[in-house]
């Protein structure tokens, strides 16, 4: 794979945009200026979302009222949108549903996975995993009272930590703090070789990194839809259960929507035969209408082309920052090898928080991650090469002028 050479002019970046087959996607989003490098935290709205919401609240909901559940297919949305996400993560139909939050879904799939390995007592994860994932695994272990959580050092060798007691290996495909891409097929195979199950969180890879859940033999997966899938703030998440486990997967939040016959309103719980048993309560139809508009955009992009552009953008950002900001205290945190990165680039700086705030003042929106990380998400469907150029220039300006060194920029906001 070839990447653009480090370049010396903004025009050279503009020339890459002129050649970019994904460039037309940018127009599908409601972007209001600036350079948005936080699409990995909250994706921007697709333009089509307005009409989708208006149709629901202005026509279908008032027009059909309770009949909308069947006439407009609201009740089927978790499965229908789940299958569409499945196409983005290499899952054939009937294995993916949309519901709840990533945290809640992780709880459900981890519990189901542990129950499939009743003789085993350990969950293995890694310190680079997203904190909610570690909290959920720890909380579940406390609740069962018979599991322990083993947290491998950040960047440590997970495969060698898997032993005969390991029931489940639970990891994030891309590290939120450093953008590191884990070896999903390799770790999954190592887990299976030791008799354990593999649970993956695809929050930072769905839609930007090719994933082959079926191909890699993954057992369970979860992921977020408000990042690269542009599903809207707090959009419902997804979960995947490999077909071979569906008949035996028992999840603890056994609500009526996971029942084989929810509207029979029987007193006894009889789980739905397939992936439907992973559902709990009533689908959030308004949120799902918003998410659907996001998925429409994501599904129009060829994932291989998206990955190529993602890596080209990240190579360019690294090259420009290292060239323009040399001697200004920034160092690369993300892996230098493109194949080992997700779709974000992170740098360390001693004053990362006010640097991020000063960049935001200049219209370059990235985010800060504890303790000292500047994080730049590269959403290939909305970013241009000139945006990367402008971001590197702004970073140079903020660092070279000391524009970050103002007391008001150092006061932490509640969401960073
Ligand atoms: C964003 C993200 C989440 C979010 O979980 P919520 O339950 O939606 O708050 C979970 N895991 C990972 C790895 C994430 O990146």
């Amino acid at each position: 794979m070839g990447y653009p050479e480090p370049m010396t002019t903004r025009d050279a970046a503009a020339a890459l945009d002129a050649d970019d087959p994904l460039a037309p996607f940018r127009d599908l989003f409601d972007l209001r200026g600036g350079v948005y490098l936080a699409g990995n935290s909250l994706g921007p709205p697709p333009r089509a979302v307005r009409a989708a919401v208006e149709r629901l609240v202005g026509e279908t909901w008032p027009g059909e009222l309770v009949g909308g559940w069947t006439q407009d297919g609201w009740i089927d949305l978790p499965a229908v949108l789940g299958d569409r996400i499945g196409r983005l993560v290499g899952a054939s139909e009937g294995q993916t549903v949309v519901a709840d939050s990533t945290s809640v879904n992780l709880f459900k799939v981890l519990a189901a996975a542990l129950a499939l390995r009743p003789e085993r007592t350990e969950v293995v994860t890694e310190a680079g995993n997203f904190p909610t994932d570690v909290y959920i695994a720890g909380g579940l272990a406390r609740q069962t009272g018979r599991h322990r959580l083993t947290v491998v050092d950040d960047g440590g060798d997970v495969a060698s930590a898997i032993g005969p007691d390991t029931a489940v290996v639970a990891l994030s495909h891309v590290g939120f703090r450093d953008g590191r891409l884990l070896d999903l097929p390799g770790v999954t195979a190592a887990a299976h070789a030791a008799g354990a199950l593999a649970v993956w969180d695809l929050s930072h890879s769905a839609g930007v990194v090719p994933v082959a859940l079926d191909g890699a033999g993954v057992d369970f997966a979860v992921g977020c839809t408000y990042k690269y899938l542009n599903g809207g703030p707090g959009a419902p998440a997804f979960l995947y259960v490999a077909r071979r486990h569906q008949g035996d997967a028992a999840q603890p939040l056994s609500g009526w929507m996971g029942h084989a016959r929810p509207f029979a309103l029987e007193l006894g719980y009889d789980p739905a035969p397939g992936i439907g048993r992973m559902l709990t309560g009533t689908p959030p139809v308004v949120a799902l209408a918003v998410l659907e508009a996001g998925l429409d955009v994501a599904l129009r992009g060829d994932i291989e082309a998206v990955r190529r552009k993602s890596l080209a953008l990240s190579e360019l950002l690294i090259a420009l920052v290292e060239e323009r900001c040399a001697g200004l205290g920034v160092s690369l945190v993300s892996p230098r090898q493109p194949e080992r990165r997700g779709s974000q680039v992170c740098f360390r700086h001693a004053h990362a928080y006010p640097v991020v705030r000063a960049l935001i003042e200049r219209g370059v929106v990235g985010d800060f991650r504890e303790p000292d990380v500047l994080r730049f998400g590269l959403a290939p469907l909305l970013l241009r090469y000139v945006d990367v150029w402008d971001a590197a220039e702004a970073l140079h300006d903020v660092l070279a002028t000391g524009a970050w060194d103002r007391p008001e920029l150092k006061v932490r906001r509640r969401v960073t």
Side-chain angles (χ1 to χ4, degrees), residues 48-68:
V49 86
R50 189 181 288 266
V53 172
E54 273 169 8
R55 178 172 172 268
L56 180 66
V57 302
E59 293 171 38
T60 346
W61 179 14
E64 298 180 10
L65 294 169
V66 73

Side-chain angles (χ1 to χ4, degrees), residues 37-38 40 176-179 317-318 321 325 328-334 344-360 364-378 391-392 394-396 398-399 404 416:
L37 301 177
N40 59 332
F176 77 102
R177 193 184 276 116
D178 56 8
L317 183 62
I318 293 171
V321 168
C325 304
L328 294 173
V330 277
S331 58
L332 182 66
V333 173
S334 301
Q344 57 173 289
V345 175
C346 305
F347 298 94
R348 183 165 284 128
H349 188 277
H351 303 286
Y353 185 75
V355 167
V356 165
R357 294 282 304 278
L359 283 171
I360 292 172
V364 175
V365 180
D367 58 21
F368 162 81
R369 284 294 173 264
E370 292 283 359
D372 56 0
V373 172
L374 306 161
R375 191 173 73 155
F376 301 117
L378 299 165
L395 181 59
H396 171 261
V398 162
L399 295 176
W404 56 269
T416 57

Side-chain angles (χ1 to χ4, degrees), residues 101-103 129-130 132-133 172 176 201 203-204 224 226-227:
S101 64
T102 306
S103 303
N129 200 351
F130 194 68
T132 199
D133 296 46
S172 287
F176 77 102
D201 187 330
S203 290
H204 280 279
C224 181
Y226 50 78
K227 293 168 180 163

Side-chain angles (χ1 to χ4, degrees), residues 120-359:
R120 295 178 173 226
T121 54
E122 181 189 43
V123 177
V124 171
T125 188
E126 196 227 24
N129 200 351
F130 194 68
T132 199
D133 296 46
V134 181
Y135 305 156
I136 290 284
L140 180 59
R142 277 194 301 281
Q143 201 194 17
T144 70
R146 51 176 296 272
H147 294 92
R148 68 175 189 281
L149 182 64
T150 299
V151 183
V152 177
D153 288 346
D154 197 353
D157 182 5
V158 174
S160 68
I162 305 170
D165 289 342
T166 309
V168 174
V169 181
L171 296 168
S172 287
H173 192 196
V174 175
F176 77 102
R177 193 184 276 116
D178 56 8
R180 188 163 38 100
L181 180 66
L182 269 63
D183 175 9
L184 180 146
V187 176
T188 300
H192 291 168
L197 297 171
V199 174
W200 287 95
D201 187 330
L202 307 178
S203 290
H204 280 279
S205 53
V208 280
V209 176
V211 183
L213 288 179
D214 290 347
V218 167
D219 300 288
F220 297 86
V222 297
C224 181
T225 64
Y226 50 78
K227 293 168 180 163
Y228 296 109
L229 299 179
N230 309 302
F238 65 92
L239 71 80
Y240 162 93
V241 179
R243 202 174 319 276
R244 64 185 176 282
H245 294 311
Q246 287 176 6
D248 304 320
Q251 62 107 343
L253 303 181
S254 44
W256 69 319
M257 286 299 146
H259 196 284
R261 297 164 302 279
F263 290 91
L265 299 168
E266 299 160 10
L267 216 46
Y269 181 72
D270 178 15
I275 186 69
R277 65 176 51 195
M278 299 307 287
L279 298 175
T280 299
T282 304
V285 175
V286 180
L288 292 170
V290 176
L291 169 59
E292 189 165 16
L295 296 179
D296 283 344
V297 174
L299 281 158
R300 284 166 65 175
D302 167 45
I303 189 71
E304 297 297 336
V306 168
R307 175 67 172 161
R308 271 195 301 281
K309 181 173 175 188
S310 154
L311 292 183
L313 291 169
S314 65
E315 286 289 284
L316 181 61
L317 183 62
I318 293 171
L320 289 174
V321 168
E322 292 193 330
E323 187 183 281
R324 296 290 285 135
C325 304
L328 294 173
V330 277
S331 58
L332 182 66
V333 173
S334 301
R336 195 167 285 282
Q337 255 178 295
E339 312 73 54
R340 297 193 47 229
R341 285 199 301 271
S343 200
Q344 57 173 289
V345 175
C346 305
F347 298 94
R348 183 165 284 128
H349 188 277
H351 303 286
Y353 185 75
V355 167
V356 165
R357 294 282 304 278
L359 283 171

